[in-house]
Amino acid sequence: MKTTTQLALFDAHSGDRASNGSYSTIGSEPELLAAALALGARDVPGWSPQEEALTADLPLFDLVQAEELLRRIRANEDPLGEAFCTLRSTADRRVQGATYTPPGIVAAMVEAAARQGTPDRIVDPGTGSARFLNAAGRRFPRAALVGVELDPLAAILARANLAAAGLADRATVIVGDYRALSIDSTPGQTLYIGNPPYVRHHLLEPLWKQWLVREAVRRGLSASQLAGLHAYFFLATALQAHPRDFGVFITAAEWMDVNYGRLIRDLLLTELGGKRIVVIEPTALPFPDAATTAAIVTFEVGSKPRSIWLKRVNTLDELRDSRPGRCVHRERLATERRWSRLTHAAQSGPEGYVELGELCRVHRGQVTGANRVWIAGAHSEGLPSSVLFPTVTRARELFSAGSVLDDPTTLRQVIDLPTDLDQLDAADRRAVERFLERARRMGADLGYIASNRKAWWAVGLRSPAPVLATYMARRPPAFVRNRADARHINIAHGLYPREPLSETVVAGLIRYLAQATRLTDGRTYAGGLTKFEPREMERLLVPTPALLEAQAQ
Ligand SMILES: C[S@@+](CC[C@H](N)C(=O)[O-])C[C@H]1O[C@@H](n2cnc3c(N)ncnc32)[C@H](O)[C@@H]1O
């Protein structure tokens, strides 16, 4: 005997009972399917054999109830999707990655897509009950709608929702695996929008893991077999999409920081063309099923980005705020393994300020391995001047320089020989060989650093940094304009602008850093020594170039 649990359908927006106070009674999956058919699911073409099999022997559905469902769907609710999430256990849905997206987030993502363009076609990978297709179909009244869904039951719900919303004539639903699919190409732009399924790697088949690695390698990227299913969806989208297509995906945010997420990060920095990432704090309950931090990613295919905007919001209301957040340079993103750190910093900076790392890379100077050998002195007499480089080798040289270092003759010289000694002419080569004999006797070829260099004799100084900084002292670091073209060894950091900066901006930056950097910004060691690692220095907040120019006037 069939037992029907009375199921109250809840209002998707308020969490209250259906807005008119009435109950719908859908007590089983067959009944849910019957409701979907009554709402016109058959009007959306492309039925699969799996769907036909599911609908072979269904109960009749009450027409009054169907009317009520229709009314609610037309009022932008999703009673079928809600019923599905109640009837199918959380554990079963977790295996499928079936966490449906709250309507407020769907609406904000559709608006984010509208700010990017007007698509001719919309693809929703992992359609579920078609929340995205329904909202985007209304927002873009001429776009063709394509849903791809593995679960035939969910696909039938998607069809019913699309039909009830009056979108059947523009819609196709494909039952299949998004990774295996090749969707026909179409003239014009396609919008990829949705919530790729989050399924952990333990549940993914080895054959698909091999697919991920193979397809990533083909594109010059690397992939980890520990990646969750959402990473596969990003890659599959890169495989499907064409230049100028665009997209908005929501996922759990962990890929921003973990090793396996590197594939998604790399795709966003290359062919998928990341434009913006908005991180949603778990307090905003982006996914009511789980206390997860979410990330909404906007991308434009083929637009190898120079930078990506990052933002963090605490409430779903803040998603409607169209202020872009903080622009982070691609080089910074390429070298930073934890992108969420950059969104935290973006939150704390005052208007008009960026992290120093946005403007400059900070590199520690080269380690020589043996200063007594590689800093020139009596033992190196006779070496040609072409291998001797004026170099900052003591912090006090920067402290005493003031804001500008312009006399290289006050500095000691570091011996930097080419890896390939055949480059030298015969006379220089003889002088260098004589020196190397002495250096060997001093043990310069034996240390850890020397034995890990390409050639033990080639120190490999970095090019002159336009700005030099001390990084370890009992006082705040000194920042010095390097007009002497001096090199630096590992007692100093070099600041290398990512883009050319005007002399006014560089001078303003040095002035600002000199007066604003406090010992508390660095890491203090026993005895009061404060050290700034390059990454810590990159995190110092500084005025933007525009603000520095304005201040100079
Ligand atoms: C996170 S849910 C999103 C559903 C819907 N787009 C929404 O946001 O409300 C992901 C959906 O992807 C489907 N799915 C899981 N693996 C899939 C695959 N390999 N190909 C296509 N769909 C898949 C699940 O059944 C589920 O409906």
Side-chain angles (χ1 to χ4, degrees):
M1 193 180 77
K2 190 173 126 201
T3 57
T4 302
T5 325
Q6 285 281 304
L7 172 74
L9 287 181
F10 287 88
D11 184 291
H13 295 289
S14 64
D16 294 336
R17 271 179 196 161
S19 20
N20 66 355
S22 70
Y23 288 91
S24 296
T25 53
I26 298 179
S28 65
E29 290 191 0
E31 217 172 322
L32 184 57
L33 286 164
L37 291 188
L39 289 167
R42 287 221 171 263
D43 295 348
V44 177
W47 274 65
S48 64
Q50 300 96 301
E51 290 166 286
E52 295 291 1
L54 271 184
T55 47
D57 185 20
L58 292 179
L60 283 177
F61 194 74
D62 174 55
L63 278 183
V64 179
Q65 249 198 85
E67 278 295 319
E68 168 60 10
L69 292 174
L70 189 64
R71 186 194 66 73
R72 293 187 59 196
I73 293 168
R74 290 189 174 157
N76 289 341
E77 296 177 28
D78 179 20
L80 300 181
E82 300 259 314
F84 172 81
C85 292
T86 313
L87 290 169
R88 194 161 290 181
S89 73
T90 312
D92 285 348
R93 283 188 294 111
R94 194 172 295 133
V95 177
Q96 299 179 288
T99 303
Y100 288 4
T101 313
I105 292 186
V106 173
M109 288 171 62
V110 170
E111 278 319 303
R115 282 195 287 274
Q116 278 189 275
T118 305
D120 302 281
R121 179 172 72 171
I122 299 163
V123 172
D124 176 359
T127 309
S129 58
R131 290 183 179 185
F132 281 102
L133 285 185
N134 262 2
R138 288 180 176 118
R139 183 69 174 76
F140 303 108
R142 276 203 263 283
L145 310 173
V146 181
V148 183
E149 175 55 57
L150 195 57
D151 176 354
L153 193 153
I156 293 170
L157 303 186
R159 293 178 194 284
N161 268 329
L162 289 161
L167 302 171
D169 54 346
R170 296 194 265 145
T172 313
V173 173
I174 304 168
V175 172
D177 191 321
Y178 181 60
R179 298 166 292 183
L181 220 63
S182 164
I183 304 173
D184 299 338
S185 58
T186 183
Q189 285 176 289
T190 296
L191 161 66
Y192 292 83
I193 189 165
N195 177 353
Y198 179 88
V199 178
R200 285 186 183 281
H201 77 94
H202 316 92
L203 296 169
L204 305 178
E205 300 94 337
L207 270 177
W208 278 116
K209 292 188 177 190
Q210 287 156 20
W211 173 88
L212 185 79
V213 173
R214 193 176 59 240
E215 291 300 335
V217 167
R218 244 185 223 162
R219 312 185 93 69
L221 303 172
S222 61
S224 157
Q225 300 211 350
L226 305 183
L229 186 54
H230 52 305
Y232 291 64
F233 270 50
F234 275 88
L235 182 60
T237 303
L239 299 178
Q240 290 282 348
H242 296 280
R244 294 188 56 245
D245 288 348
F246 57 108
V248 191
F249 282 166
I250 183 166
T251 58
E254 69 183 23
W255 61 263
M256 295 177 73
D257 295 332
V258 296
N259 264 347
Y260 84 71
R262 162 123 186 255
L263 174 62
I264 300 180
R265 300 197 293 271
D266 285 349
L267 281 168
L268 291 174
L269 289 176
T270 55
E271 56 197 288
L272 222 42
K275 291 188 87 78
R276 189 170 185 227
I277 301 172
V278 180
V279 173
I280 310 173
E281 295 285 3
T283 43
L285 283 183
F287 299 119
D289 281 359
T292 313
T293 310
I296 295 178
V297 181
T298 312
F299 53 91
E300 184 185 320
V301 179
S303 70
K304 190 177 172 195
R306 277 184 61 221
S307 52
I308 296 182
W309 291 91
L310 298 183
K311 186 171 170 171
R312 211 171 176 93
V313 300
N314 293 305
T315 65
L316 294 186
D317 277 348
E318 285 175 55
L319 281 180
R320 284 200 291 270
D321 176 354
S322 58
R323 276 178 298 181
R326 163 173 285 187
C327 188
V328 180
H329 200 283
R330 62 169 291 118
E331 278 189 22
R332 184 90 192 280
L333 292 162
T335 53
E336 175 69 68
R337 266 179 290 172
R338 292 173 148 263
W339 283 13
S340 70
R341 197 147 63 187
L342 299 169
T343 69
H344 280 297
Q347 186 79 340
S348 59
E351 194 71 17
Y353 282 67
V354 291
E355 288 184 5
L356 175 62
E358 287 310 301
L359 308 181
C360 303
R361 270 171 297 161
V362 177
H363 287 305
R364 195 196 308 282
Q366 190 57 278
V367 179
T368 69
N371 286 356
R372 69 199 157 82
V373 177
W374 301 112
I375 295 178
H379 66 289
S380 61
E381 250 156 49
L383 276 177
S385 60
S386 61
V387 301
L388 299 172
F389 296 87
T391 302
V392 171
T393 57
R394 291 178 280 222
R396 67 167 181 270
E397 290 160 353
L398 291 178
F399 285 125
S400 62
S403 58
V404 180
L405 174 72
D406 48 15
D407 183 3
T409 61
T410 60
L411 302 172
R412 299 192 291 180
Q413 297 191 310
V414 166
I415 301 158
D416 196 6
L417 300 170
T419 310
D420 176 8
L421 296 176
D422 290 342
Q423 287 176 14
L424 300 167
D425 66 29
D428 288 354
R429 175 77 186 247
R430 276 194 300 280
V432 166
E433 294 290 359
R434 276 194 298 277
F435 165 72
L436 289 181
E437 217 18 71
R438 257 168 278 145
R440 255 194 216 98
R441 282 201 298 276
M442 294 166 84
D445 56 336
L446 299 176
Y448 173 81
I449 300 286
S451 29
N452 280 286
R453 290 201 278 250
K454 255 196 196 149
W456 67 267
W457 57 81
V459 168
L461 289 171
R462 289 187 182 280
S463 57
V467 177
L468 292 166
T470 62
Y471 68 88
M472 181 136 79
R474 288 187 170 77
R475 49 185 278 190
F479 293 89
V480 179
R481 175 76 175 99
N482 177 15
R483 287 236 180 79
D485 276 348
R487 312 301 173 105
H488 63 294
I489 61 171
N490 63 325
I491 55 87
H493 290 339
L495 277 58
Y496 296 84
R498 293 182 189 278
E499 311 271 333
L501 297 176
S502 72
E503 215 31 71
T504 315
V505 168
V506 175
L509 195 59
I510 288 173
R511 246 192 328 273
Y512 178 83
L513 285 165
Q515 51 85 21
T517 310
R518 293 174 310 251
L519 282 178
T520 46
D521 295 325
R523 209 174 293 171
T524 307
Y525 290 82
L529 259 190
T530 300
K531 189 172 178 190
F532 286 79
E533 294 296 344
R535 293 283 165 270
E536 280 161 348
M537 204 169 259
E538 286 187 352
R539 256 177 261 137
L540 295 172
L541 283 177
V542 296
T544 58
L547 191 55
L548 288 166
E549 291 275 7
Q551 284 169 351
Q553 278 154 29

